[in-house]
Amino acid sequence: QQQVKQSPQSLIVQKGGISIINCAYENTAFDYFPWYQQFPGKGPALLIAIRPDVSEKKEGRFTISFNKSAKQFSLHIMDSQPGDSATYFCAASAPWSGGYQKVTFGTGTKLQVIP
Amino acid sequence: DAGITQSPRHKVTETGTPVTLRCHQTENHRYMYWYRQDPGHGLRLIHYSYGVKDTDKGEVSDGYSVSRSKTEDFLLTLESATSSQTSVYFCAISESPGAEYGYTFGSGTRLTVV
């Protein structure tokens, strides 16, 4: 059962455009929503994250928008650059046993930014 | 990736053979994780460790075992490899169980079971 649904699976954006990746979740126990960026041959790296008490968080060209009532959140990449070409994973974490926070990842979006 | 090394980077093995993947960290982080990455499934947790000799199962633990005898090393063993275990395996570390500190991932091990 996929608890975090991510779309689209792939995305092609022109240089300078806005890339938008969407995620939806069902589990209301999720209390932290990070986004990871992965380049080919590398492991994912934390990009930006948000808590559900905030509707938006911006770091440079990257913005997370969060809609708690709709249980949806999205990543916006403004002024997309070829160097942003990577696979992006949304994730959500919730308390689990023993103080551990279980992190559930989306299925990933492969972004290609063309010149 | 700085502070975390996975070995080997690539491995081809035959069905039914045992395979051990190694994760080594120099960050002295308490928490270590093994994930597998497959197209259409994203990253799925296999096992995790919250200290030396303290491990627990993740969501796709069948067919896998782990051991952690030292803080810096976390081993993933496929007791009898199957074709369904062909995947890219990532180790991750974190300094707290809370996700807010983020996970640091290794560069992965591409395992092919033929």
Side-chain angles (χ1 to χ4, degrees):
Chain A
Q1 181 183 3
Q2 185 61 44
Q3 294 191 51
V4 179
K5 294 184 178 180
Q6 183 172 349
S7 62
Q9 188 173 1
S10 62
L11 182 62
I12 299 175
V13 174
Q14 289 229 310
K15 178 181 175 182
I18 302 173
S19 304
I20 302 174
I21 303 170
N22 300 300
C23 287
Y25 64 96
E26 292 293 327
N27 186 357
T28 55
F30 287 142
D31 60 4
Y32 185 72
F33 300 86
W35 284 87
Y36 282 79
Q37 178 188 55
Q38 183 181 27
F39 293 106
K42 298 292 186 181
L46 180 64
L47 181 64
I48 187 174
I50 197 168
R51 291 204 175 274
D53 53 347
V54 176
S55 62
E56 185 175 282
K57 184 174 182 179
K58 183 176 181 179
E59 289 185 2
R61 296 183 293 108
F62 300 90
T63 299
I64 301 177
S65 297
F66 190 86
N67 186 330
K68 188 174 181 179
S69 61
K71 292 187 281 187
Q72 295 175 346
F73 58 110
S74 59
L75 176 70
H76 295 237
I77 306 174
M78 313 300 288
D79 186 26
S80 298
Q81 299 296 313
D84 296 330
S85 298
T87 299
Y88 292 81
F89 292 94
C90 63
S93 72
W96 211 24
S97 63
Y100 167 65
Q101 284 266 339
K102 181 181 179 182
V103 180
T104 301
F105 287 86
T107 52
T109 295
K110 188 172 183 179
L111 171 66
Q112 183 181 0
V113 181
I114 55 177
Chain B
D1 297 82
I4 180 168
T5 305
Q6 290 185 236
S7 59
R9 290 297 312 275
H10 302 270
K11 186 170 182 65
V12 179
T13 191
E14 293 187 348
T15 299
T17 61
V19 177
T20 295
L21 309 182
R22 181 180 184 237
C23 178
H24 179 78
Q25 60 143 329
T26 57
E27 304 297 318
N28 201 34
H29 285 348
R30 179 179 173 188
Y31 298 87
M32 300 185 75
Y33 314 86
W34 277 107
Y35 282 87
R36 61 178 289 175
Q37 185 176 26
D38 305 286
H41 291 277
L43 290 148
R44 292 179 292 174
L45 181 66
I46 304 171
H47 281 279
Y48 68 99
S49 170
Y50 47 96
V52 173
K53 292 184 168 51
D54 292 323
T55 65
D56 206 347
K57 296 179 180 180
E59 59 188 300
V60 290
S61 59
D62 287 347
Y64 302 94
S65 63
V66 290
S67 66
R68 191 170 178 200
S69 58
K70 297 185 291 185
T71 298
E72 57 265 36
D73 290 325
F74 193 31
L75 303 181
L76 176 71
T77 298
L78 289 66
E79 302 291 345
S80 178
T82 67
S83 58
S84 65
Q85 294 176 312
T86 292
S87 185
V88 181
Y89 291 86
F90 287 98
C91 176
I93 60 175
S94 66
E95 58 182 309
S96 84
E100 64 267 23
Y101 288 94
Y103 289 359
T104 299
F105 283 86
S107 295
T109 294
R110 182 173 294 276
L111 177 68
T112 303
V113 183
V114 298

